[in-house]
Amino acid sequence: NASLVLNLEEPVLKPLMHSLSCGKHKVVSKSPAGSKINVTDTFSANAKFSCNMRKVRIPMASLDATHNAKRVEEDRGVAIDACIVRIMKARKTLKHQQLNAEVLSQLAFFKPKARVIKRRIEGLIEREYIERSTENNQVYNYLA
């Protein structure tokens, strides 16, 4: 019913009503009481609400998912790229297995799969950060 009155969709309305009824300042009262917002809940203006401050800050609940899989994968890809470039800049020349082991040891906050590391190395070769050695295909050279 509130979505019709306020002309908002449910995915936008739920975090909004959560901020107003379940936060530090309960501007809107909710029944039944609780921290979860359900479709069956009813809301009304909180007549008992009072605050000594002239301005009241009500933090908004996030509307978009902060940890969606695609964004996490992108961020991890950038971290892997940075790690590979950092290692290759220090070593100049390195074998594939040594580079893999070094990347795994440096990335402590997550463990990427070997296939992902290989894909990121291929991307760096395409962007000309590193190259394959002409003598040995398993050796990479850093391009300054």
Side-chain angles (χ1 to χ4, degrees):
N1 188 22
S3 63
L4 295 173
V5 174
L6 297 173
N7 196 22
L8 294 171
E9 300 91 41
E10 191 177 326
V12 175
L13 187 65
K14 270 191 173 184
L16 180 71
M17 294 311 287
H18 187 274
S19 298
L20 293 172
S21 63
C22 301
K24 181 180 175 184
H25 302 290
K26 292 176 178 52
V27 179
V28 175
S29 59
K30 166 182 149 0
S31 61
S35 63
K36 278 277 213 195
I37 303 291
N38 296 316
V39 180
T40 57
D41 294 348
T42 56
F43 299 94
S44 61
N46 188 0
K48 298 174 189 169
F49 174 76
S50 66
C51 185
N52 296 337
M53 298 173 68
R54 184 176 292 183
K55 287 185 180 179
V56 179
R57 288 196 179 268
I58 300 173
M60 271 297 293
S62 180
L63 293 175
D64 60 324
T66 54
H67 297 294
N68 59 3
K70 189 176 180 182
R71 186 164 174 211
V72 169
E73 204 60 43
E74 276 180 27
D75 292 346
R76 286 182 175 183
V78 171
I80 294 169
D81 286 353
C83 183
I84 293 168
V85 169
R86 201 170 40 244
I87 293 164
M88 290 304 295
K89 192 172 186 178
R91 304 282 175 85
K92 303 293 183 213
T93 300
L94 209 57
K95 287 186 177 178
H96 179 76
Q97 292 300 326
Q98 291 171 315
L99 181 58
N100 251 350
E102 192 75 28
V103 168
L104 287 171
S105 69
Q106 280 195 19
L107 292 174
F109 54 96
F110 72 97
K111 293 287 178 210
K113 295 185 174 101
R115 184 180 42 204
V116 175
I117 296 172
K118 185 170 175 26
R119 200 175 309 133
R120 301 312 299 192
I121 291 171
E122 294 297 327
L124 289 171
I125 290 171
E126 286 175 16
R127 293 187 311 217
E128 297 180 356
Y129 282 92
I130 58 177
E131 67 178 0
R132 289 189 190 277
S133 175
T134 53
E135 298 92 41
N136 188 349
N137 213 19
Q138 289 293 308
V139 176
Y140 301 113
N141 298 323
Y142 176 73
L143 300 173

